[in-house]
Amino acid sequence: MATTIKDLLTTALQDTYSAETQILDALPKMEEAATSQTLKRAFQEHLQMTQRQVERLEEVCSQLGIEPEGETCEAMEGLVEEGEQLVDDLDEGPVLDAALIGAAQKVEHYEIAAYGTLTAMLKAMGETKCADLMAQTLKEEKDTDELLTQVAESEVNPAALGTTAANDQSGRRSGAA
Ligand code: FE
Ligand code: FE
Ligand code: FE
């Protein structure tokens, strides 16, 4: 079995291609499940970004003579499944929004690892143009992770805490009655 860095790169590109195409399916569902308009917009914008990221992977594969399809990213299957579970278990509102942000950030972190590796491998191989394309996507995934943290801190977590406080209060009131 020939295991060269090109073989490794092929598997990594195909795995990431599988991951991104799964995310293309998942993001509209996450957008629909979200209540916060800011979060809905973030998912919508990341969907458009993801379409360009898929095109970049296709471009890199075509430059290197690699077929983009061929692997299934099982890690992304698991992450998407966990996200779907949250949507099933929680009512729509700020608590589900907070959970969706957490699920989305796990996806971003997986992608940050994947694109970091791809960028480094391509750079090592002297494939500068392809490495630059993957570095662009890497930056988008990092920016998205930061944006999600910002939405959580500025809006969604305070709203989720407000929900809890309101429930506690009504609980206390009925307890006192
Ligand atoms: Fe992505
Ligand atoms: Fe994977
Ligand atoms: Fe992403």
Side-chain angles (χ1 to χ4, degrees), residues 13 16-17 19-21 23-24 27 45-60 107-108 111 115 118 133-144:
L13 282 166
T16 308
Y17 189 78
E20 291 287 16
T21 50
I23 294 162
L24 280 181
L27 276 168
E45 278 166 13
H46 201 55
L47 176 63
Q48 285 162 14
M49 222 177 256
T50 301
Q51 280 154 357
R52 294 194 296 272
Q53 294 174 350
V54 167
E55 286 167 13
R56 276 187 207 123
L57 284 169
E58 286 166 350
E59 171 66 18
V60 167
V107 169
E108 295 318 310
E111 295 183 291
Y115 285 106
L118 286 172
L133 285 170
M134 296 295 89
Q136 281 175 43
T137 299
L138 176 61
K139 184 173 185 307
E140 288 176 354
E141 310 294 20
K142 286 181 177 171
D143 289 348
T144 301

Side-chain angles (χ1 to χ4, degrees), residues 5-42:
I5 189 146
K6 181 78 183 279
D7 296 330
L8 192 62
L9 181 71
T10 300
T11 307
L13 282 166
Q14 291 179 341
D15 185 81
T16 308
Y17 189 78
S18 162
E20 291 287 16
T21 50
Q22 290 182 54
I23 294 162
L24 280 181
D25 288 341
L27 276 168
K29 296 177 196 161
M30 294 173 80
E31 187 197 343
E32 207 195 309
T35 300
S36 154
Q37 289 305 315
T38 319
L39 186 56
K40 276 184 186 286
R41 212 177 313 122

